[in-house]
Amino acid sequence: MSLISQISKHASNSVLVNFKRAIASQLSQLTGEPETKTFECIELTPKKEFGQFAVIVPKLLASSGGGQRKKRKTTNEKSASLEQPKNPVEYTKELAEKFQPDTFIADTTPLGTYLNFKLQRIELIRQVLDRVTRERTSYGTFPKYGEDKTVLIDFSSPNIAKPFHAGHLKSTILGNFLKKIHEAMGYKTICVNYLGDWGKQYGLLSVGFNKFGSREQLLQNPVYHLYDVYVRICKEASEDNSISEEANRCFKKMEDGDESILALWRQFRELSITEYQPLYKRLNISFDVYSGESETHKDIPKVIDLLRTKGLLQEQEDGSLYVDLEKYNLGSPVIKRHDETSLYITRDIAAAIDRKQKYNFDKMLYVVGVSQQIHFQRLFKILEILNSTENDDSNKKQENWANQLQHIHFGLINGMSTRKGTAVFLKDLLDNQQQQEDLEVLSKIGEAAAEKVADIVGISAVVIEDFSRDRQLDYDFSWERMLDSHGNTGVYLQYAHARLKKADVKLNFSADPKILKDPEAFELAFQIAQYPDVVLKSFDESQPRILTHYLFTLAHTISQAVRVLRVKGMNQDLAESRLLLFWAAKLTMGNGLRLLGLTPLEKM
């Protein structure tokens, strides 16, 4: 059963559910199929000339076996006559003839084995305006769904001592979207920025700083200087194995608590966080917790003991420890190196256990690239085994909390790599977009507001460029495409919102919907009506692309309506009704932009 159907069984914020229920109720009586199943089979039509909803009749009757519908007792002779097996096309025609128009459904027409339904236009407009007027910024939210539930979202997670590059953009904005949409679904959210601040690479950076670093440059431009040092030492390490060996020894000293190395590491960490915070503020993103791999160091011995107690640890000839996951086709990940230093997976096991104890979440999302898919499969499997009650003395069967963990993976932005020194820094990306938009808005709204507006438009362009794709697909980085202000872009969505300005007509929330008889008015109301279901689908699939493409369609529908549905110069009643419809469209567009993590603009 779809998420939309689950929620519609209780209380739904979707106007369209009312219309689908009306179809399902009558069609269920005609076919003898369960109403719940009938509801599930109702879908949007591909073309508006067919109507708004359709049912594929063979799909509806599939469980009855070749069109043979189950007999059921009825006092309605017309319904009883439809119990007999028919040719699917003929049966669809007969259903169309028997289906009676009502308050919700205006007309029913057959097209092959499709049963198409046209809605009562004025009733749809009336319900949409009533719902949006009552719910306002809550329109499209479902606060009861996730009530009393907590989700922990681990996202962004840049590596310290390196500039925040555009490759981190996907995790950062996707994680923020997941936060916003979980809040719309009623969840309490805990957002964690789990910094990459521990591991061999910081041993390598320490070696590099001793060789190439400058205290003066570190204070003047800390992260960019450290990035330059890191690229240079990586190049040397690729040509000289002794440098990697020295980095390993340096990291071992860090784990052993060597204060001379840790003091420098702490400085790198603090300077990095200071550098990142203005960018997060610029993106309108905040975190409840800043943590890092380094904070798990004290818990590593407990993790090793737990793994050993469960009989999971095995030792290699060189003395390193690993977990055998071969029977799950997940290989044998090393948990502890021969020099007794920890690894990424060891620290992630410790962090997950600590988070469960500290926050008792109902689910935890890791927003990390697809390249880490095997890592998370191994992590989840180890945690599942650790938390299994099969070998425990307790007779109580408890849910394994490892099942609450989810890897929300995404594709790569090709064309950048920190080690090769080809990273595109996010600050540069946003600054370039802001400068381009500055020229467009300066003459329209004045210099004082231009910089802020240009920054919001620039961020919108960058975010929507990413969100317009399936999150799981890779794409090539391109300045030209990301900064393009034409077509389906963030600039276009902001313009669609900003153009719906207040007219010289007072907004009347009691305006009469019955006079909105133009086809464009119905099409705009129908688009607005789809928003709650789009939110549900976006949440269910963790896909901002679904909401983004809906907003493109809404923006195009607004554009078509603005050309036809004049407000200025019309009689007062019609002007008020049209203005209320445009207000509802603007509010819906604004709600959607905020869910995507963007600030809707009033002027451009």
Side-chain angles (χ1 to χ4, degrees), residues 158-190:
N159 294 320
I160 67 164
K162 298 174 187 175
F164 196 131
H165 68 80
H168 285 112
L169 176 71
K170 291 188 72 116
S171 175
T172 304
I173 61 177
L174 177 57
N176 193 46
F177 163 75
L178 293 169
K179 170 192 174 181
K180 300 283 187 184
I181 206 161
H182 274 82
E183 288 173 344
M185 297 299 294
Y187 281 80
K188 175 187 174 183
T189 60
I190 299 171

PDB file of all heavy atoms in Angstrom, residues 158-190:
ATOM      1  N   PRO A 158      32.211  17.474   5.933  1.00  0.00           N
ATOM      2  CA  PRO A 158      33.455  17.739   5.203  1.00  0.00           C
ATOM      3  C   PRO A 158      34.662  17.279   5.990  1.00  0.00           C
ATOM      4  O   PRO A 158      34.598  17.094   7.209  1.00  0.00           O
ATOM      5  CB  PRO A 158      33.447  19.273   5.062  1.00  0.00           C
ATOM      6  CG  PRO A 158      32.658  19.746   6.244  1.00  0.00           C
ATOM      7  CD  PRO A 158      31.602  18.707   6.468  1.00  0.00           C
ATOM      8  N   ASN A 159      35.757  17.086   5.299  1.00  0.00           N
ATOM      9  CA  ASN A 159      37.020  16.758   5.953  1.00  0.00           C
ATOM     10  C   ASN A 159      37.684  18.051   6.400  1.00  0.00           C
ATOM     11  O   ASN A 159      37.798  19.002   5.621  1.00  0.00           O
ATOM     12  CB  ASN A 159      37.954  16.014   4.994  1.00  0.00           C
ATOM     13  CG  ASN A 159      37.407  14.655   4.629  1.00  0.00           C
ATOM     14  OD1 ASN A 159      36.865  13.946   5.462  1.00  0.00           O
ATOM     15  ND2 ASN A 159      37.527  14.298   3.354  1.00  0.00           N
ATOM     16  N   ILE A 160      38.124  18.099   7.652  1.00  0.00           N
ATOM     17  CA  ILE A 160      38.772  19.313   8.140  1.00  0.00           C
ATOM     18  C   ILE A 160      40.073  19.554   7.395  1.00  0.00           C
ATOM     19  O   ILE A 160      40.635  18.651   6.775  1.00  0.00           O
ATOM     20  CB  ILE A 160      39.032  19.251   9.665  1.00  0.00           C
ATOM     21  CG1 ILE A 160      40.082  18.183   9.999  1.00  0.00           C
ATOM     22  CG2 ILE A 160      37.757  19.030  10.434  1.00  0.00           C
ATOM     23  CD1 ILE A 160      40.662  18.311  11.387  1.00  0.00           C
ATOM     24  N   ALA A 161      40.513  20.800   7.455  1.00  0.00           N
ATOM     25  CA  ALA A 161      41.758  21.234   6.831  1.00  0.00           C
ATOM     26  C   ALA A 161      41.688  21.222   5.305  1.00  0.00           C
ATOM     27  O   ALA A 161      42.713  21.278   4.627  1.00  0.00           O
ATOM     28  CB  ALA A 161      42.946  20.390   7.304  1.00  0.00           C
ATOM     29  N   LYS A 162      40.479  21.131   4.762  1.00  0.00           N
ATOM     30  CA  LYS A 162      40.288  21.223   3.316  1.00  0.00           C
ATOM     31  C   LYS A 162      39.106  22.146   3.065  1.00  0.00           C
ATOM     32  O   LYS A 162      38.116  22.104   3.802  1.00  0.00           O
ATOM     33  CB  LYS A 162      39.994  19.840   2.716  1.00  0.00           C
ATOM     34  CG  LYS A 162      41.130  18.846   2.901  1.00  0.00           C
ATOM     35  CD  LYS A 162      40.719  17.467   2.424  1.00  0.00           C
ATOM     36  CE  LYS A 162      41.792  16.438   2.773  1.00  0.00           C
ATOM     37  NZ  LYS A 162      41.363  15.073   2.427  1.00  0.00           N
ATOM     38  N   PRO A 163      39.168  22.989   2.035  1.00  0.00           N
ATOM     39  CA  PRO A 163      38.041  23.868   1.744  1.00  0.00           C
ATOM     40  C   PRO A 163      36.786  23.055   1.446  1.00  0.00           C
ATOM     41  O   PRO A 163      36.849  21.940   0.939  1.00  0.00           O
ATOM     42  CB  PRO A 163      38.500  24.650   0.505  1.00  0.00           C
ATOM     43  CG  PRO A 163      39.990  24.552   0.535  1.00  0.00           C
ATOM     44  CD  PRO A 163      40.294  23.206   1.119  1.00  0.00           C
ATOM     45  N   PHE A 164      35.667  23.648   1.764  1.00  0.00           N
ATOM     46  CA  PHE A 164      34.366  23.039   1.493  1.00  0.00           C
ATOM     47  C   PHE A 164      34.172  23.091  -0.021  1.00  0.00           C
ATOM     48  O   PHE A 164      33.856  24.126  -0.575  1.00  0.00           O
ATOM     49  CB  PHE A 164      33.291  23.866   2.205  1.00  0.00           C
ATOM     50  CG  PHE A 164      31.971  23.188   2.345  1.00  0.00           C
ATOM     51  CD1 PHE A 164      31.321  23.166   3.569  1.00  0.00           C
ATOM     52  CD2 PHE A 164      31.345  22.579   1.273  1.00  0.00           C
ATOM     53  CE1 PHE A 164      30.084  22.562   3.718  1.00  0.00           C
ATOM     54  CE2 PHE A 164      30.115  21.970   1.400  1.00  0.00           C
ATOM     55  CZ  PHE A 164      29.479  21.966   2.634  1.00  0.00           C
ATOM     56  N   HIS A 165      34.389  21.967  -0.699  1.00  0.00           N
ATOM     57  CA  HIS A 165      34.290  21.997  -2.160  1.00  0.00           C
ATOM     58  C   HIS A 165      32.906  21.570  -2.633  1.00  0.00           C
ATOM     59  O   HIS A 165      32.084  21.068  -1.877  1.00  0.00           O
ATOM     60  CB  HIS A 165      35.406  21.177  -2.815  1.00  0.00           C
ATOM     61  CG  HIS A 165      35.321  19.699  -2.606  1.00  0.00           C
ATOM     62  ND1 HIS A 165      34.497  18.885  -3.333  1.00  0.00           N
ATOM     63  CD2 HIS A 165      36.000  18.884  -1.755  1.00  0.00           C
ATOM     64  CE1 HIS A 165      34.654  17.638  -2.955  1.00  0.00           C
ATOM     65  NE2 HIS A 165      35.562  17.604  -1.996  1.00  0.00           N
ATOM     66  N   ALA A 166      32.660  21.828  -3.913  1.00  0.00           N
ATOM     67  CA  ALA A 166      31.322  21.603  -4.468  1.00  0.00           C
ATOM     68  C   ALA A 166      30.901  20.143  -4.401  1.00  0.00           C
ATOM     69  O   ALA A 166      29.722  19.830  -4.489  1.00  0.00           O
ATOM     70  CB  ALA A 166      31.270  22.100  -5.912  1.00  0.00           C
ATOM     71  N   GLY A 167      31.866  19.233  -4.239  1.00  0.00           N
ATOM     72  CA  GLY A 167      31.523  17.825  -4.082  1.00  0.00           C
ATOM     73  C   GLY A 167      30.750  17.554  -2.804  1.00  0.00           C
ATOM     74  O   GLY A 167      30.004  16.579  -2.716  1.00  0.00           O
ATOM     75  N   HIS A 168      30.940  18.421  -1.784  1.00  0.00           N
ATOM     76  CA  HIS A 168      30.175  18.274  -0.551  1.00  0.00           C
ATOM     77  C   HIS A 168      28.771  18.866  -0.677  1.00  0.00           C
ATOM     78  O   HIS A 168      27.939  18.711   0.214  1.00  0.00           O
ATOM     79  CB  HIS A 168      30.890  18.978   0.612  1.00  0.00           C
ATOM     80  CG  HIS A 168      32.090  18.234   1.112  1.00  0.00           C
ATOM     81  ND1 HIS A 168      33.363  18.704   0.959  1.00  0.00           N
ATOM     82  CD2 HIS A 168      32.196  17.039   1.746  1.00  0.00           C
ATOM     83  CE1 HIS A 168      34.217  17.840   1.479  1.00  0.00           C
ATOM     84  NE2 HIS A 168      33.538  16.818   1.956  1.00  0.00           N
ATOM     85  N   LEU A 169      28.547  19.576  -1.769  1.00  0.00           N
ATOM     86  CA  LEU A 169      27.260  20.245  -1.965  1.00  0.00           C
ATOM     87  C   LEU A 169      26.104  19.265  -1.906  1.00  0.00           C
ATOM     88  O   LEU A 169      25.083  19.516  -1.264  1.00  0.00           O
ATOM     89  CB  LEU A 169      27.270  20.971  -3.308  1.00  0.00           C
ATOM     90  CG  LEU A 169      25.951  21.638  -3.716  1.00  0.00           C
ATOM     91  CD1 LEU A 169      25.696  22.851  -2.841  1.00  0.00           C
ATOM     92  CD2 LEU A 169      26.008  22.064  -5.188  1.00  0.00           C
ATOM     93  N   LYS A 170      26.257  18.123  -2.582  1.00  0.00           N
ATOM     94  CA  LYS A 170      25.138  17.177  -2.676  1.00  0.00           C
ATOM     95  C   LYS A 170      24.717  16.670  -1.306  1.00  0.00           C
ATOM     96  O   LYS A 170      23.526  16.649  -0.977  1.00  0.00           O
ATOM     97  CB  LYS A 170      25.516  15.995  -3.591  1.00  0.00           C
ATOM     98  CG  LYS A 170      25.662  16.387  -5.040  1.00  0.00           C
ATOM     99  CD  LYS A 170      25.838  15.183  -5.940  1.00  0.00           C
ATOM    100  CE  LYS A 170      24.566  14.393  -6.081  1.00  0.00           C
ATOM    101  NZ  LYS A 170      24.038  14.362  -7.428  1.00  0.00           N
ATOM    102  N   SER A 171      25.675  16.252  -0.488  1.00  0.00           N
ATOM    103  CA  SER A 171      25.332  15.768   0.848  1.00  0.00           C
ATOM    104  C   SER A 171      24.689  16.870   1.678  1.00  0.00           C
ATOM    105  O   SER A 171      23.713  16.641   2.399  1.00  0.00           O
ATOM    106  CB  SER A 171      26.575  15.243   1.559  1.00  0.00           C
ATOM    107  OG  SER A 171      26.267  14.884   2.897  1.00  0.00           O
ATOM    108  N   THR A 172      25.215  18.083   1.560  1.00  0.00           N
ATOM    109  CA  THR A 172      24.749  19.195   2.381  1.00  0.00           C
ATOM    110  C   THR A 172      23.317  19.594   2.042  1.00  0.00           C
ATOM    111  O   THR A 172      22.464  19.709   2.927  1.00  0.00           O
ATOM    112  CB  THR A 172      25.694  20.403   2.209  1.00  0.00           C
ATOM    113  OG1 THR A 172      27.028  19.999   2.539  1.00  0.00           O
ATOM    114  CG2 THR A 172      25.283  21.551   3.105  1.00  0.00           C
ATOM    115  N   ILE A 173      23.030  19.804   0.766  1.00  0.00           N
ATOM    116  CA  ILE A 173      21.686  20.266   0.404  1.00  0.00           C
ATOM    117  C   ILE A 173      20.672  19.123   0.446  1.00  0.00           C
ATOM    118  O   ILE A 173      19.501  19.340   0.777  1.00  0.00           O
ATOM    119  CB  ILE A 173      21.672  20.969  -0.973  1.00  0.00           C
ATOM    120  CG1 ILE A 173      22.109  20.029  -2.095  1.00  0.00           C
ATOM    121  CG2 ILE A 173      22.540  22.213  -0.927  1.00  0.00           C
ATOM    122  CD1 ILE A 173      22.034  20.655  -3.489  1.00  0.00           C
ATOM    123  N   LEU A 174      21.106  17.892   0.134  1.00  0.00           N
ATOM    124  CA  LEU A 174      20.195  16.749   0.230  1.00  0.00           C
ATOM    125  C   LEU A 174      19.836  16.476   1.690  1.00  0.00           C
ATOM    126  O   LEU A 174      18.678  16.214   2.023  1.00  0.00           O
ATOM    127  CB  LEU A 174      20.822  15.516  -0.414  1.00  0.00           C
ATOM    128  CG  LEU A 174      20.018  14.205  -0.339  1.00  0.00           C
ATOM    129  CD1 LEU A 174      18.635  14.372  -0.957  1.00  0.00           C
ATOM    130  CD2 LEU A 174      20.784  13.067  -1.022  1.00  0.00           C
ATOM    131  N   GLY A 175      20.836  16.544   2.572  1.00  0.00           N
ATOM    132  CA  GLY A 175      20.569  16.353   3.993  1.00  0.00           C
ATOM    133  C   GLY A 175      19.626  17.402   4.538  1.00  0.00           C
ATOM    134  O   GLY A 175      18.728  17.110   5.338  1.00  0.00           O
ATOM    135  N   ASN A 176      19.796  18.649   4.083  1.00  0.00           N
ATOM    136  CA  ASN A 176      18.909  19.726   4.529  1.00  0.00           C
ATOM    137  C   ASN A 176      17.492  19.502   4.024  1.00  0.00           C
ATOM    138  O   ASN A 176      16.509  19.735   4.752  1.00  0.00           O
ATOM    139  CB  ASN A 176      19.443  21.064   4.023  1.00  0.00           C
ATOM    140  CG  ASN A 176      18.765  22.245   4.693  1.00  0.00           C
ATOM    141  OD1 ASN A 176      18.587  22.279   5.908  1.00  0.00           O
ATOM    142  ND2 ASN A 176      18.378  23.221   3.897  1.00  0.00           N
ATOM    143  N   PHE A 177      17.359  19.024   2.787  1.00  0.00           N
ATOM    144  CA  PHE A 177      16.029  18.685   2.257  1.00  0.00           C
ATOM    145  C   PHE A 177      15.369  17.588   3.096  1.00  0.00           C
ATOM    146  O   PHE A 177      14.182  17.669   3.433  1.00  0.00           O
ATOM    147  CB  PHE A 177      16.150  18.223   0.802  1.00  0.00           C
ATOM    148  CG  PHE A 177      14.942  17.482   0.285  1.00  0.00           C
ATOM    149  CD1 PHE A 177      13.786  18.150  -0.038  1.00  0.00           C
ATOM    150  CD2 PHE A 177      14.965  16.091   0.157  1.00  0.00           C
ATOM    151  CE1 PHE A 177      12.665  17.472  -0.492  1.00  0.00           C
ATOM    152  CE2 PHE A 177      13.860  15.400  -0.301  1.00  0.00           C
ATOM    153  CZ  PHE A 177      12.699  16.099  -0.628  1.00  0.00           C
ATOM    154  N   LEU A 178      16.138  16.556   3.445  1.00  0.00           N
ATOM    155  CA  LEU A 178      15.586  15.464   4.262  1.00  0.00           C
ATOM    156  C   LEU A 178      15.157  15.968   5.632  1.00  0.00           C
ATOM    157  O   LEU A 178      14.148  15.524   6.183  1.00  0.00           O
ATOM    158  CB  LEU A 178      16.621  14.346   4.396  1.00  0.00           C
ATOM    159  CG  LEU A 178      16.940  13.592   3.104  1.00  0.00           C
ATOM    160  CD1 LEU A 178      18.155  12.698   3.292  1.00  0.00           C
ATOM    161  CD2 LEU A 178      15.737  12.781   2.639  1.00  0.00           C
ATOM    162  N   LYS A 179      15.908  16.900   6.194  1.00  0.00           N
ATOM    163  CA  LYS A 179      15.509  17.515   7.452  1.00  0.00           C
ATOM    164  C   LYS A 179      14.164  18.224   7.286  1.00  0.00           C
ATOM    165  O   LYS A 179      13.235  18.022   8.074  1.00  0.00           O
ATOM    166  CB  LYS A 179      16.571  18.522   7.905  1.00  0.00           C
ATOM    167  CG  LYS A 179      16.143  19.383   9.083  1.00  0.00           C
ATOM    168  CD  LYS A 179      17.082  20.557   9.311  1.00  0.00           C
ATOM    169  CE  LYS A 179      16.557  21.480  10.405  1.00  0.00           C
ATOM    170  NZ  LYS A 179      17.437  22.647  10.626  1.00  0.00           N
ATOM    171  N   LYS A 180      14.064  19.074   6.256  1.00  0.00           N
ATOM    172  CA  LYS A 180      12.843  19.865   6.047  1.00  0.00           C
ATOM    173  C   LYS A 180      11.631  18.975   5.807  1.00  0.00           C
ATOM    174  O   LYS A 180      10.546  19.209   6.354  1.00  0.00           O
ATOM    175  CB  LYS A 180      13.030  20.794   4.844  1.00  0.00           C
ATOM    176  CG  LYS A 180      14.166  21.783   4.955  1.00  0.00           C
ATOM    177  CD  LYS A 180      13.816  22.947   5.836  1.00  0.00           C
ATOM    178  CE  LYS A 180      14.903  24.014   5.804  1.00  0.00           C
ATOM    179  NZ  LYS A 180      14.612  25.120   6.741  1.00  0.00           N
ATOM    180  N   ILE A 181      11.800  17.924   4.994  1.00  0.00           N
ATOM    181  CA  ILE A 181      10.635  17.120   4.640  1.00  0.00           C
ATOM    182  C   ILE A 181      10.231  16.194   5.790  1.00  0.00           C
ATOM    183  O   ILE A 181       9.054  15.875   5.962  1.00  0.00           O
ATOM    184  CB  ILE A 181      10.866  16.351   3.315  1.00  0.00           C
ATOM    185  CG1 ILE A 181       9.509  16.058   2.651  1.00  0.00           C
ATOM    186  CG2 ILE A 181      11.673  15.068   3.532  1.00  0.00           C
ATOM    187  CD1 ILE A 181       9.582  15.733   1.199  1.00  0.00           C
ATOM    188  N   HIS A 182      11.193  15.786   6.623  1.00  0.00           N
ATOM    189  CA  HIS A 182      10.832  15.015   7.816  1.00  0.00           C
ATOM    190  C   HIS A 182      10.096  15.898   8.826  1.00  0.00           C
ATOM    191  O   HIS A 182       9.154  15.439   9.489  1.00  0.00           O
ATOM    192  CB  HIS A 182      12.076  14.385   8.459  1.00  0.00           C
ATOM    193  CG  HIS A 182      12.441  13.062   7.867  1.00  0.00           C
ATOM    194  ND1 HIS A 182      13.170  12.944   6.710  1.00  0.00           N
ATOM    195  CD2 HIS A 182      12.153  11.787   8.270  1.00  0.00           C
ATOM    196  CE1 HIS A 182      13.319  11.655   6.412  1.00  0.00           C
ATOM    197  NE2 HIS A 182      12.719  10.941   7.333  1.00  0.00           N
ATOM    198  N   GLU A 183      10.499  17.136   8.920  1.00  0.00           N
ATOM    199  CA  GLU A 183       9.768  18.067   9.785  1.00  0.00           C
ATOM    200  C   GLU A 183       8.353  18.279   9.269  1.00  0.00           C
ATOM    201  O   GLU A 183       7.403  18.355  10.056  1.00  0.00           O
ATOM    202  CB  GLU A 183      10.522  19.394   9.874  1.00  0.00           C
ATOM    203  CG  GLU A 183      11.793  19.308  10.703  1.00  0.00           C
ATOM    204  CD  GLU A 183      12.638  20.570  10.674  1.00  0.00           C
ATOM    205  OE1 GLU A 183      12.416  21.417   9.773  1.00  0.00           O
ATOM    206  OE2 GLU A 183      13.522  20.712  11.532  1.00  0.00           O
ATOM    207  N   ALA A 184       8.194  18.349   7.945  1.00  0.00           N
ATOM    208  CA  ALA A 184       6.857  18.473   7.357  1.00  0.00           C
ATOM    209  C   ALA A 184       6.005  17.255   7.659  1.00  0.00           C
ATOM    210  O   ALA A 184       4.774  17.339   7.717  1.00  0.00           O
ATOM    211  CB  ALA A 184       6.965  18.680   5.843  1.00  0.00           C
ATOM    212  N   MET A 185       6.653  16.099   7.869  1.00  0.00           N
ATOM    213  CA  MET A 185       5.935  14.862   8.188  1.00  0.00           C
ATOM    214  C   MET A 185       5.787  14.651   9.694  1.00  0.00           C
ATOM    215  O   MET A 185       5.335  13.591  10.128  1.00  0.00           O
ATOM    216  CB  MET A 185       6.661  13.674   7.567  1.00  0.00           C
ATOM    217  CG  MET A 185       6.718  13.698   6.046  1.00  0.00           C
ATOM    218  SD  MET A 185       5.099  13.675   5.247  1.00  0.00           S
ATOM    219  CE  MET A 185       4.501  12.052   5.715  1.00  0.00           C
ATOM    220  N   GLY A 186       6.166  15.646  10.487  1.00  0.00           N
ATOM    221  CA  GLY A 186       5.923  15.584  11.924  1.00  0.00           C
ATOM    222  C   GLY A 186       7.049  15.032  12.770  1.00  0.00           C
ATOM    223  O   GLY A 186       6.905  14.899  13.992  1.00  0.00           O
ATOM    224  N   TYR A 187       8.188  14.691  12.171  1.00  0.00           N
ATOM    225  CA  TYR A 187       9.309  14.121  12.919  1.00  0.00           C
ATOM    226  C   TYR A 187      10.064  15.209  13.697  1.00  0.00           C
ATOM    227  O   TYR A 187      10.162  16.359  13.253  1.00  0.00           O
ATOM    228  CB  TYR A 187      10.320  13.465  11.977  1.00  0.00           C
ATOM    229  CG  TYR A 187       9.943  12.106  11.474  1.00  0.00           C
ATOM    230  CD1 TYR A 187       9.048  11.954  10.419  1.00  0.00           C
ATOM    231  CD2 TYR A 187      10.492  10.954  12.030  1.00  0.00           C
ATOM    232  CE1 TYR A 187       8.711  10.697   9.924  1.00  0.00           C
ATOM    233  CE2 TYR A 187      10.161   9.688  11.544  1.00  0.00           C
ATOM    234  CZ  TYR A 187       9.272   9.572  10.494  1.00  0.00           C
ATOM    235  OH  TYR A 187       8.934   8.338  10.013  1.00  0.00           O
ATOM    236  N   LYS A 188      10.630  14.817  14.817  1.00  0.00           N
ATOM    237  CA  LYS A 188      11.670  15.613  15.454  1.00  0.00           C
ATOM    238  C   LYS A 188      12.976  15.255  14.752  1.00  0.00           C
ATOM    239  O   LYS A 188      13.292  14.078  14.588  1.00  0.00           O
ATOM    240  CB  LYS A 188      11.783  15.280  16.943  1.00  0.00           C
ATOM    241  CG  LYS A 188      12.941  15.998  17.636  1.00  0.00           C
ATOM    242  CD  LYS A 188      13.132  15.506  19.062  1.00  0.00           C
ATOM    243  CE  LYS A 188      14.380  16.134  19.691  1.00  0.00           C
ATOM    244  NZ  LYS A 188      14.636  15.610  21.065  1.00  0.00           N
ATOM    245  N   THR A 189      13.724  16.255  14.328  1.00  0.00           N
ATOM    246  CA  THR A 189      14.962  15.987  13.600  1.00  0.00           C
ATOM    247  C   THR A 189      16.180  16.365  14.443  1.00  0.00           C
ATOM    248  O   THR A 189      16.165  17.356  15.173  1.00  0.00           O
ATOM    249  CB  THR A 189      15.016  16.773  12.277  1.00  0.00           C
ATOM    250  OG1 THR A 189      14.936  18.174  12.552  1.00  0.00           O
ATOM    251  CG2 THR A 189      13.885  16.367  11.350  1.00  0.00           C
ATOM    252  N   ILE A 190      17.217  15.553  14.330  1.00  0.00           N
ATOM    253  CA  ILE A 190      18.511  15.852  14.934  1.00  0.00           C
ATOM    254  C   ILE A 190      19.534  15.813  13.806  1.00  0.00           C
ATOM    255  O   ILE A 190      19.747  14.768  13.187  1.00  0.00           O
ATOM    256  CB  ILE A 190      18.890  14.835  16.028  1.00  0.00           C
ATOM    257  CG1 ILE A 190      17.862  14.860  17.164  1.00  0.00           C
ATOM    258  CG2 ILE A 190      20.293  15.134  16.578  1.00  0.00           C
ATOM    259  CD1 ILE A 190      18.049  13.744  18.176  1.00  0.00           C
TER     260      ILE A 190
END
